[in-house]
């Protein structure tokens, strides 16, 4: 006789426990998402009457002169993930050295920027990079590195890198914390074994450290790629997406269309591009992770 | 943590300490300067000095008296607490079932929820704003709490499920043999075991509310529950002369509590994330 | 079914996993009398744990009339309503509760006794298990043996209809294992409560059980007293699984020599009684001969088999001698010490009236 694994008491628990999660998922995630996809087929002015456009929003967006500008900025902005990984890995390896004292204190200091609201960090850099009274400009001038103040936020080339680097400075501790836990979980006996068999520092890193933290690296890269592309507060605060569209990464563009031009249909169209862009960037890492670790439920 | 004997060479130590110094200074120098600025007078802000002529508390007074920043801080606090409570209520039961029970559609449901972690949730701001206006959640604290869940719930379910799945199954089974129903086994045995992860989830979703700018900005107006983040944004986009010393006080007041919370929660966080 | 002392019956229990792809229990039949201690013995993966979990209600059997307590079919009942106490191999002590609260957990859930009474029962149980000084400790502060005692206490204090123990001693060190198994048996005798004890250790099973049920591949092969399981195995698997060092095995054929009968085995021949010969003849004349190591005696001349000593293991009260004969290894066990040395040529004599004969399908031939 065939029978499902769950008893009736089991079934009740499953239903009751899943209810809030499922309700949340439908009402707050998937319904709005599908609603948005629907909206992207319209000219949908804020509080006005929608007008059917079919795929015209998509066609218009890809033909717009800012399309490639936006894609380029988005790509540069996503490089931030790489820079974050570099900083995070270095810091995690440094703090994992057994001879470092006050490890907890240094870890606390390092995660400061990440713990704070991004807008707070944005405000700080707005101040530090201010062309008139900012500390950075002041020292660069004083040391003769630059001859006249640079307008970091309104010079197209600089602005792009400024938002990327500020994002790096803000978010690298996320990776750092997770990588440090991964490092600390490696049994010390493995390193001793490595030494007994004559592995040098580099070999120990390649053959012992790296394989143990590979999963953690892939996970943080995937998460940070996605999170970074969705975080708009800092670009929005520092440059407002300008000058022109130079720093209008896709998420900022969503915002500009929605709340500055009041064109919700177009905003969601850009949003769909953002989903596709994020998925394409994430795919190789997700594939590697899936293949190597075969996460199962 | 793996305790290892230290057999480092002097070169190794030198390089490590040099790297540590660099890493710490890139954090400490900017924050140090922010700290100093918060105690300058408006006139002195324009000079790049590391020691104010006189340590002034004027900006600290202005923040509360002129800007009434405590109202924003209070809003942030409520936003954070509500976000944390709601995230727990929605995700703990769900995550438990995903970790422990088998039912048809389990995998697809789980991926439909956790997959949204990589969702650019700025995307949902458009339909959410419209819906909130229609159903009267716009410009309310409840509206904010709910909106935060868009990110808080998938993240929490992901963390919680991993933790629940690592607890030995025999604990619940044992509880059930010794007289518990399924539900009693969950709250008498599993929940107490899950203390670190529950604290982590509360902490992370509190921070989500406290730190959020996007939803707080979009879903509230000046006379609604404006949080500190939004107030700082508004002050920094002020247009006319920005009062930097006041701003730096605001950033300190808003930025330090999460750091302290992080340090307090660290013990639980590392248990949660020791995957 | 709250009768303090219930018999348990497992009736054609079947349990499959993964949509029938894994058959953990094919057809398990057991009857445990009230107050009896039954040991469920079998190699790892044979379905012992699954059987026990079905009895406890932690798994739902495939058939609806599989588990009976007394006259009641409890197959569909919730675990909490069965009044059976389960002891897990990993102890499953609740880490957030101290030993006292772990022991009282079930009584607190049941709410039949006032707090003072529960306290008294917990302390009496702890005293019996000699852990009364550990009651305030958390599980993380207990050693393996202490933790398992607390976990036993949690079961005992319930005064259940039966105890179900799943390899409770497997993770303890050898000395402690021997000590605790004696203790468990004494407690069971004292409480006179039905107990099913699961183990894969045949020595533990022999020392502990009133009855032993030997399982393999989801089926109970034989149930009987330790002596009958040891001396009258129902089949080749049971004969090989029980006993250390294991039984000696030879493939043989029935021959008629002169007036009597004999068995021609590989390179030697032994004579056989008429009764055994009839049995063997009935299955076609080919059998596996099994002789336990203690039923082979060593001499210097006139034996059935010639061989050379390769190893002598002195195990205190007895010695195990390995002998090589025609490229085969034969195990012999003697009481006390022995005078033979490695390299000695020896003659072995088989005690044929204690030997086992197994038909080609593994079934034991008994008259
Ligand atoms: N929950 C399960 N899912 C799938 N297979 C299982 C499950 N539990 C047990 N099995 C399988 O059933 C068989 C019997 O397992 P078990 O009862 O644990 O054996 P034992 O306790 O005798 O070592 C094994 O092959 C095991 O892999
Ligand atoms: Mg088992």
């Amino acid at each position: 006789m065939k029978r499902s694994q769950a008893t009736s008491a089991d079934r009740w628990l499953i239903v009751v426990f899943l209810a809030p999660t499922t309700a949340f998922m439908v009402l707050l995630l998937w319904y709005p998402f599908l609603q948005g996809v629907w909206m992207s087929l319209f000219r949908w002015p804020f509080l006005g009457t929608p007008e059917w456009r079919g795929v015209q929003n998509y066609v218009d967006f890809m033909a717009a002169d800012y399309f490639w500008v936006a894609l380029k900025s988005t790509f540069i902005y996503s490089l931030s993930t790489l820079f974050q990984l570099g900083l995070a890995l270095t810091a995690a390896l440094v703090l994992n050295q057994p001879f470092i004292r006050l490890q907890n204190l240094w870890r606390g200091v390092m995660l400061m920027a990440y713990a704070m609201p991004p807008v707070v960090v944005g405000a700080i850099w707005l101040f530090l990079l201010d062309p008139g009274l900012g500390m950075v400009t002041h020292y660069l001038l004083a040391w003769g590195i630059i001859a006249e103040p640079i307008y970091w936020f309104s010079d197209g080339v600089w602005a792009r890198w400024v938002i990327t680097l500020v994002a790096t400075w803000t978010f690298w501790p996320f990776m750092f914390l997770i990588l440090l836990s991964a490092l600390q979980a490696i049994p010390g006996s493995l390193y001793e074994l490595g030494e007994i068999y004559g592995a040098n520092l580099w070999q120990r890193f390649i053959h012992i450290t790296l394989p143990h933290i590979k999963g953690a690296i892939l996970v943080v890269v995937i998460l940070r790629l996605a999170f970074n592309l969705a975080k708009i507060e800092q670009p929005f605060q520092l440059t407002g997406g300008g000058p022109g569209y130079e720093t209008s990464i896709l998420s900022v563009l969503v915002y500009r269309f929605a709340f500055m031009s009041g064109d919700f249909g177009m905003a969601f169209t850009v949003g769909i591009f953002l989903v596709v862009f994020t998925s394409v960037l994430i795919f190789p890492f997700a594939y590697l992770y899936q293949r190597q670790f075969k996460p199962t439920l | 943590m793996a305790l290892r004997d230290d057999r480092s060479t002097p070169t190794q130590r030198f390089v490590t300490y040099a790297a540590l110094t660099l890493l710490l200074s890139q954090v400490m120098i900017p924050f140090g300067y922010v700290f100093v600025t918060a105690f300058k007078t408006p006139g002195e802000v324009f000079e790049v000095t590391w020691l104010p002529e006189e340590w002034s508390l004027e900006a600290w007074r202005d923040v509360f008296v002129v800007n009434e920043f405590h109202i924003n801080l209070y809003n942030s606090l409520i936003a954070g607490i509500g976000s944390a409570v709601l995230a727990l209520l929605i995700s703990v039961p769900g995550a438990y079932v995903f970790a422990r029970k088998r039912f048809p559609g389990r995998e697809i449901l789980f991926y439909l929820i956790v997959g949204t972690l990589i969702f650019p949730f700025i995307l949902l701001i458009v339909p959410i704003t419209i819906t909130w206006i229609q159903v009267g959640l716009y410009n309310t604290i409840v509206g904010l709490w709910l909106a935060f869940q868009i990110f808080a719930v998938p993240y929490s379910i992901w963390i919680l499920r991993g933790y629940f799945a690592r607890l030995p199954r025999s604990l619940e089974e044992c509880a059930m043999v010794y007289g518990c129903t399924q539900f009693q086994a969950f709250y008498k045995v599993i929940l107490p075991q899950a203390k670190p992860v529950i604290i982590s989830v509360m902490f992370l979703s509190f921070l989500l509310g406290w730190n959020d700018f996007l939803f707080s900005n979009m879903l509230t107006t000046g006379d609604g529950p404006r949080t500190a983040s939004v107030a700082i944004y508004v002050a920094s986009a002020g247009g006319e002369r920005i009062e930097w010393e006041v701003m730096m006080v605001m950033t300190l007041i808003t930025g330090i509590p999460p750091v302290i919370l992080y340090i307090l929660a660290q013990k639980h966080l590392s248990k949660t994330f020791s995957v | 079914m709250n009768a303090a002392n219930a018999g348990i019956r497992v009736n054609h229990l079947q349990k499959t996993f993964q949509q029938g792809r894994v058959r953990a229990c094919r057809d398990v039949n057991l009857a445990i009398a009230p107050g009896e201690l039954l040991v469920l013995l079998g190699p790892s993966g044979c379905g012992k744990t699954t059987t026990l979990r079905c009895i406890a209600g932690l798994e739902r059997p495939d058939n609806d009339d599989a588990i009976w307590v007394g006259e009641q079919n409890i197959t569909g009942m919730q675990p909490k309503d069965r009044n059976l106490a389960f002891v897990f191999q990993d102890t499953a002590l609740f880490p957030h509760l101290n030993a006292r609260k772990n022991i009282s957990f079930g009584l607190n859930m049941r709410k039949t006794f006032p707090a003072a009474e529960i306290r008294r029962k917990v302390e009496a149980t702890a005293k019996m298990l000699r852990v009364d000084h550990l009651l305030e400790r958390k599980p993380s502060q207990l050693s393996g043996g202490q933790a398992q005692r607390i976990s036993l206490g949690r079961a005992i204090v319930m005064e259940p209809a039966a105890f179900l123990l799943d390899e409770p001693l497997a993770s303890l060190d050898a000395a402690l294992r021997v000590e605790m198994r004696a203790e468990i048996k004494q407690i069971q005798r004292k409480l006179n409560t039905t107990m099913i004890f699961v183990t894969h250790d045949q020595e533990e099973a022999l020392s502990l059980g009133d009855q032993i049920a030997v399982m393999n591949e989801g089926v109970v092969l034989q149930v009987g007293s330790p002596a009958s399981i040891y001396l009258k195995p129902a089949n080749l698997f049971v004969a090989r699984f029980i006993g250390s060092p294991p039984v000696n095995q030879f493939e043989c054929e029935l021959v008629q020599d002169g007036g009597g009968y004999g068995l021609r085995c590989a390179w030697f021949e032994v004579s056989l009684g008429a009764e055994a010969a009839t049995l063997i003849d009935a299955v076609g004349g080919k059998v596996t001969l099994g002789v336990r190591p203690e039923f082979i005696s060593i001499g210097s001349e006139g034996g059935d088999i010639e061989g050379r000593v390769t190893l002598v293991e002195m195990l205190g009260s007895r010695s195990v001698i390995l002998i090589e004969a025609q490229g085969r290894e034969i195990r012999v066990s003697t009481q006390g010490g022995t005078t033979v040395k490695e390299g000695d040529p020896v003659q072995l004599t088989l005690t044929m009236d204690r030997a086992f004969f197994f038909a080609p399908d593994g079934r034991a031939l008994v008259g």
Side-chain angles (χ1 to χ4, degrees):
Chain A
M1 192 178 68
K2 272 263 82 80
R3 169 201 304 282
S4 79
Q5 302 263 334
T7 64
S8 74
D10 240 341
R11 271 196 293 273
W12 266 109
L13 185 94
I14 291 171
V15 168
V16 172
F17 274 30
L18 272 187
T21 306
T22 313
F24 148 80
M25 187 189 75
V26 172
L27 294 178
L28 278 170
L29 287 178
W30 292 103
Y31 175 70
F33 178 73
L34 294 177
Q35 191 188 6
V37 175
W38 175 242
M39 286 166 76
S40 75
L41 303 176
F42 289 83
R43 180 191 304 286
W44 196 300
F46 185 56
L47 301 180
T49 320
E51 170 198 332
W52 174 262
R53 299 201 75 203
V55 294
Q56 197 56 41
N57 280 334
Y58 293 83
V59 174
D60 284 358
F61 178 53
M62 286 172 74
D65 45 5
Y66 49 77
F67 177 71
W68 291 107
V69 181
L71 276 194
K72 183 175 162 194
S73 324
T74 311
F75 183 73
I76 291 183
Y77 193 65
S78 59
L79 285 180
S80 162
T81 306
L82 267 188
F83 305 150
Q84 289 172 38
L85 180 62
L87 270 174
L89 195 54
T90 313
L93 286 170
V94 163
L95 276 203
N96 194 41
Q97 295 304 311
F99 55 83
I100 295 280
R101 314 225 171 276
L102 301 177
Q103 211 216 49
N104 287 340
L105 176 65
W106 306 139
R107 187 175 52 196
V109 169
M110 286 188 192
L111 62 78
M112 273 170 67
Y114 175 68
M116 295 179 176
V119 170
V120 161
V121 178
I124 289 172
W125 282 101
L126 214 48
F127 171 54
L128 296 176
L129 290 172
D130 187 277
L133 46 77
M135 181 182 80
V136 175
T137 311
H138 172 84
Y139 283 116
L140 290 179
L141 283 172
W143 296 335
I145 296 173
I146 55 174
E148 51 192 63
I150 294 178
Y151 287 79
W152 304 104
F153 304 117
S154 45
D155 177 319
V157 180
W158 282 113
R160 230 178 238 156
W161 287 100
V162 164
I163 59 167
T164 305
L165 291 177
V166 170
T168 306
W169 194 82
T170 313
F171 298 114
W172 72 273
F174 172 83
M175 290 192 171
F176 159 70
L177 286 176
I178 292 183
L179 292 182
L180 184 60
S181 333
L183 283 177
Q184 288 174 340
I186 304 177
S189 57
L190 282 182
Y191 289 100
E192 281 161 8
L193 199 75
E195 278 179 65
I196 290 168
Y197 286 103
N200 63 30
L201 201 61
W202 175 248
Q203 288 167 324
R204 293 203 295 268
F205 176 75
I206 293 292
H207 295 294
I208 299 172
T209 311
L210 213 49
H212 274 89
I213 60 170
K214 201 166 159 192
I217 290 181
L218 288 172
V219 167
V220 292
V221 166
I222 292 169
L223 289 180
R224 266 317 346 146
L225 273 175
F227 293 173
N228 287 345
L229 289 176
K231 286 255 171 211
I232 74 152
E233 41 266 82
Q234 288 182 347
F236 185 67
Q237 178 187 24
L238 297 176
T239 65
Y245 286 92
E246 295 292 328
T247 59
S248 285
I249 60 173
L250 287 169
S251 50
V252 172
L253 217 49
V254 174
Y255 189 91
R256 283 175 76 156
F257 277 119
F259 297 100
M260 291 157 98
S261 338
D263 187 348
F264 281 10
M266 195 60 175
F268 216 90
T269 305
V270 178
I272 300 277
F273 273 93
L274 179 54
V275 174
V276 173
F277 190 93
T278 312
S279 312
V280 168
L281 275 191
I282 285 175
F283 180 78
F285 302 101
Y287 176 76
L288 278 181
Y289 185 80
Q290 182 75 31
R291 200 185 57 174
Q292 185 161 12
F293 298 95
K294 299 202 174 45
T296 46
L297 275 174
Chain B
M1 189 182 32
L3 276 182
R4 279 178 281 137
D5 288 344
D6 175 25
R7 275 188 288 273
S8 54
T9 61
T11 329
Q12 211 175 319
R13 280 158 174 269
F14 175 78
V15 172
T16 308
Y17 278 116
L20 181 64
T21 312
L22 279 178
L23 284 165
L24 290 175
S25 14
Q26 56 96 21
V27 176
M28 293 302 282
I29 292 174
F31 280 121
Y33 192 66
V34 168
F35 183 79
V36 170
T37 305
F39 292 95
K40 287 181 177 175
T41 57
E44 227 195 318
V45 170
F46 295 92
E47 292 155 41
V48 178
T49 51
W50 283 85
L51 283 178
E53 301 264 302
E54 70 174 291
W55 292 81
S56 156
L57 288 177
E58 202 178 320
W60 292 81
R61 196 186 57 89
D62 283 358
V63 163
F64 294 104
V65 176
V66 182
N67 297 52
E68 297 192 313
F69 196 55
H70 49 281
I71 297 176
N72 305 111
L73 285 172
Y74 176 75
N75 287 335
S76 291
L77 183 71
I78 298 300
I81 292 175
S83 169
V85 171
L86 210 51
L88 279 185
L89 289 181
I90 299 177
S91 44
V92 168
Y96 173 71
V97 167
F98 280 120
R100 281 296 212 244
K101 306 289 172 190
R102 306 188 157 269
F103 52 92
R106 182 177 69 140
E107 309 220 339
I108 187 94
L109 209 55
F110 183 70
Y111 286 120
L112 278 178
I113 294 172
V114 173
T116 55
L117 263 185
I118 63 159
F119 233 59
F121 52 102
I122 164 89
L123 198 63
L124 297 181
I125 195 81
V126 173
I128 291 277
T129 308
I130 294 188
T131 311
W132 265 214
I133 291 174
Q134 284 167 352
V135 302
L137 283 171
Y138 187 76
N139 214 16
T140 66
I141 191 80
V142 179
L144 282 186
W145 290 343
L146 282 172
F148 295 149
Q149 303 312 312
I150 290 177
F151 187 72
V153 166
Y155 202 53
S156 309
I157 288 192
W158 182 57
I159 297 171
L160 285 162
R161 194 207 73 90
Y163 192 89
F164 285 142
R166 288 199 296 276
L167 293 176
R169 236 168 238 279
S170 54
L171 287 180
E172 284 137 300
E173 293 177 343
C174 187
M176 284 167 63
V177 169
Y178 289 103
C180 289
T181 60
Q182 296 256 359
F183 182 70
Q184 287 171 324
F186 167 72
Y187 86 89
K188 278 190 183 293
V189 173
I190 293 300
L191 276 192
Q193 299 317 303
K195 195 172 126 205
V197 73
I198 284 177
I199 290 177
S200 298
V201 162
M202 272 177 61
F203 160 78
L204 291 171
S205 23
F206 173 84
L207 275 202
L208 200 83
W210 179 274
N211 286 2
D212 174 77
F213 163 72
L214 191 64
F215 288 114
S216 314
N217 188 38
M218 287 302 96
L219 299 176
T220 63
T221 62
D223 54 4
R226 276 260 135 121
T227 60
S229 283
V230 180
I232 288 177
Y233 168 75
V234 171
S236 72
E240 331 110 52
R241 194 193 85 81
I242 298 171
E243 291 170 314
W244 287 113
E245 72 288 353
V246 172
M247 219 53 165
M248 291 306 112
V249 174
M250 287 186 183
T251 62
L252 284 180
I253 298 176
T254 315
I256 298 298
V259 175
I260 293 172
L261 277 184
Y262 243 112
I263 292 166
L264 292 181
Q266 183 57 48
K267 190 180 73 180
H268 303 292
L269 284 172
S270 61
K271 277 187 204 153
T272 302
F273 284 102
S274 62
V275 191
Chain C
M1 77 140 290
N2 271 326
N5 216 356
I8 297 177
R9 191 156 61 85
V10 178
N11 175 40
H12 296 291
L13 165 67
Q14 293 175 37
K15 175 66 189 168
T16 55
F17 292 106
Q18 298 171 359
Q19 287 83 41
R21 270 176 285 148
V22 178
R23 296 184 68 189
C25 298
R26 287 161 194 271
D27 182 17
V28 177
N29 292 288
L30 291 170
I32 303 107
E36 189 175 81
L37 198 173
L38 175 107
V39 174
L40 195 52
L41 172 69
S44 174
C46 72
K48 306 181 296 292
T49 297
T50 307
T51 303
L52 204 64
R53 288 169 58 87
C54 285
I55 297 173
L58 295 171
E59 303 282 0
R60 186 76 196 255
D62 292 355
N63 52 327
D64 271 330
D65 56 348
I67 312 295
W68 296 71
V69 169
E71 290 304 302
Q72 192 183 1
N73 178 359
I74 60 160
T75 311
M77 200 185 262
Q78 288 291 306
K80 71 184 175 68
D81 302 325
R82 295 189 179 205
N83 195 25
L84 301 173
F86 200 102
V87 175
F88 293 80
Q89 178 178 345
D90 68 354
T91 75
L93 289 181
F94 303 124
H96 62 295
L97 301 179
N98 64 16
R100 176 190 296 281
K101 292 205 173 122
N102 262 290
I103 296 180
S104 65
F105 186 88
L107 291 180
N108 287 337
M109 289 306 304
R110 223 189 243 169
K111 300 196 180 84
T112 41
F113 299 111
E117 176 73 1
I118 291 179
R119 192 181 174 82
R120 197 192 56 72
K121 282 173 183 281
V122 167
E123 278 165 11
T125 306
K127 198 161 193 104
M128 173 163 72
L129 290 160
R130 292 183 280 122
V131 286
D132 40 335
H133 59 299
L134 301 173
L135 282 177
E136 311 310 322
R137 293 211 195 157
K138 286 280 180 70
S140 58
Q141 299 162 321
L142 298 172
S143 73
Q146 291 168 340
Q148 199 52 274
R149 277 167 200 269
I150 301 292
S151 144
L152 278 171
R154 183 170 57 180
I156 291 169
V157 81
M158 297 294 290
E159 296 167 18
F163 295 112
L164 310 175
L165 285 69
D166 188 9
E167 311 217 17
L169 309 179
S171 47
L172 306 182
D173 65 62
L176 197 55
R177 212 154 54 211
V178 172
E179 178 191 324
M180 277 194 70
R181 80 182 178 213
E183 220 170 306
I184 287 177
K185 185 160 183 167
Q186 279 163 10
I187 288 171
Q188 194 271 340
R189 287 284 183 269
K190 189 165 136 199
L191 302 174
N192 194 31
T193 306
T194 315
M195 178 183 282
I196 303 182
F197 186 108
V198 163
T199 180
H200 65 263
D201 180 343
Q202 52 95 22
E203 190 190 313
E204 199 166 274
L206 291 172
S207 76
L208 206 48
D210 296 326
Q211 297 277 303
I212 296 176
V214 184
M215 263 188 93
N216 192 35
E217 296 185 345
V219 180
V220 175
L221 299 175
Q222 185 176 6
V223 185
S225 69
S228 74
I229 293 269
Y230 187 77
L231 296 172
K232 298 193 183 87
N235 57 45
L236 185 56
F237 177 85
V238 175
R240 282 161 53 163
F241 193 71
I242 310 263
S244 169
V247 68
N248 293 292
Q249 239 177 283
F250 309 95
E251 301 307 319
C252 307
E253 205 174 337
L254 184 68
V255 292
Q256 201 141 19
D257 56 352
Y261 298 95
L263 269 184
R264 184 182 301 130
C265 309
W267 73 100
F268 63 91
E269 223 178 284
V270 287
S271 58
L272 203 61
E275 197 182 334
T278 321
L279 286 171
I280 295 169
D281 195 36
V283 296
K286 282 191 189 306
V287 285
T288 303
L289 168 67
V291 189
R292 294 221 177 267
E294 61 270 36
F295 300 135
I296 300 180
S297 54
I298 297 186
S300 44
E301 54 199 29
D304 302 313
I305 305 172
E306 265 175 38
R308 186 173 295 276
V309 177
T310 54
L311 197 66
V312 179
E313 286 176 357
M314 172 64 191
L315 298 178
S317 63
R318 63 195 180 118
S319 303
V320 173
I321 302 153
L322 297 187
I323 287 138
E324 199 227 81
Q326 300 285 317
R328 294 272 308 271
E329 186 176 80
I330 297 172
R331 297 165 289 268
V332 177
S333 158
T334 64
Q335 287 298 316
T338 175
T339 51
V340 300
K341 297 185 298 297
E342 286 165 29
D344 287 354
V346 286
Q347 294 277 334
L348 304 178
T349 309
L350 308 183
T351 314
M352 286 307 283
D353 54 351
R354 310 304 290 270
F356 315 136
F357 307 103
F358 302 102
D361 64 0
R363 197 164 39 87
L365 302 177
V366 279

